[in-house]
Amino acid sequence: MQIAITINLSQAEEAEIAAILGCDVTALNGRLNACSLAATNEYLAMFRGQKTFKRGSDMLEYRLLLLIETTFNGVIPDERTVSSLFQTTLTESRSLIRSVISKYQYQLRGHVERTLCECLSDARRQNNTQHYTVVIKSHNIVDELNKALADIDGSLSSVTKKKGSVSTYEIAPSSYNQLCNKFAVQPNP
């Protein structure tokens, strides 16, 4: 079914919303269409009685799930992105993401794994004697990598924050190779 809506926004409103959604004004229509799909799916589930929530947090979790599936193309967003969309603190956003990953773990399994694979593909090291480094803006993704390491072998080194950095993490070569093997990622040299 094709649904079309028209929204009248001023240039200032367009610029503000584009900044919140992390795109430029020319890409705003596409981003809003993806968000509209998530919102429409939320309403349809409600109309059909598929999703009836007793708590506001349940609704926020379901709303984030729908945004992950549509707007974020299956990639788990970082806390700052969720904070800008939901008007929450970083701590609240971290908790919301963690709740969604836990509550919808089977539905999101492929999305979480794809996000982890992207992190592993982005990891680099200067030479063969150093740890791999990667910028990860979400504590939840670090937690998921460490859970995967614990599942593989509890004696492997965890993913740790690089000393003196804001969001750069280090992965020991043995841990990195095991993670790449688990998620079928071609390891970087």
Side-chain angles (χ1 to χ4, degrees), residues 22-177:
C23 65
D24 58 29
V25 175
T26 59
L28 183 58
N29 188 57
R31 291 295 294 230
L32 285 176
N33 276 321
C35 292
S36 296
L37 177 58
T40 301
N41 285 334
E42 179 182 337
Y43 275 110
L44 292 174
M46 180 185 67
F47 295 158
R48 296 172 66 203
Q50 295 172 324
K51 293 289 179 183
T52 54
F53 301 110
K54 303 285 186 240
R55 302 177 307 147
S57 60
D58 291 333
M59 184 172 46
L60 292 177
E61 292 164 358
Y62 184 63
R63 191 170 286 166
L64 180 56
L65 169 71
L66 293 173
L67 287 170
I68 290 168
E69 292 179 331
T70 58
T71 306
F72 300 118
N73 298 315
V75 175
I76 308 301
D78 61 62
E79 289 88 0
R80 289 187 192 280
T81 302
V82 172
S83 289
S84 68
L85 295 176
F86 286 80
Q87 309 305 311
T88 54
T89 66
L90 289 175
T91 303
E92 290 169 330
S93 296
R94 187 174 303 123
S95 178
L96 177 59
I97 295 166
R98 184 175 39 252
S99 295
V100 169
I101 289 173
S102 177
K103 183 181 268 186
Y104 297 103
Q105 61 185 305
Y106 301 113
Q107 192 170 344
L108 287 176
R109 179 178 292 154
H111 299 318
V112 170
E113 288 181 5
R114 187 164 84 210
T115 304
L116 299 181
C117 289
E118 287 179 12
C119 287
L120 294 170
S121 295
D122 291 342
R124 300 284 186 263
R125 64 181 175 172
Q126 297 295 325
N127 59 51
N128 292 343
T129 63
Q130 293 184 329
H131 285 12
Y132 287 85
T133 59
V134 61
V135 173
I136 304 173
K137 296 180 181 177
S138 174
H139 290 287
N140 289 300
I141 299 306
V142 175
D143 291 344
E144 291 298 318
L145 286 168
N146 284 327
K147 279 193 234 175
L149 284 170
D151 290 344
I152 296 167
D153 180 354
S155 66
L156 290 167
S157 298
S158 63
V159 177
T160 57
K161 186 178 279 192
K162 184 176 180 179
K163 187 175 180 178
S165 73
V166 176
S167 56
T168 300
Y169 288 83
E170 295 181 322
I171 309 172
S174 58
S175 297
Y176 176 77
N177 288 327

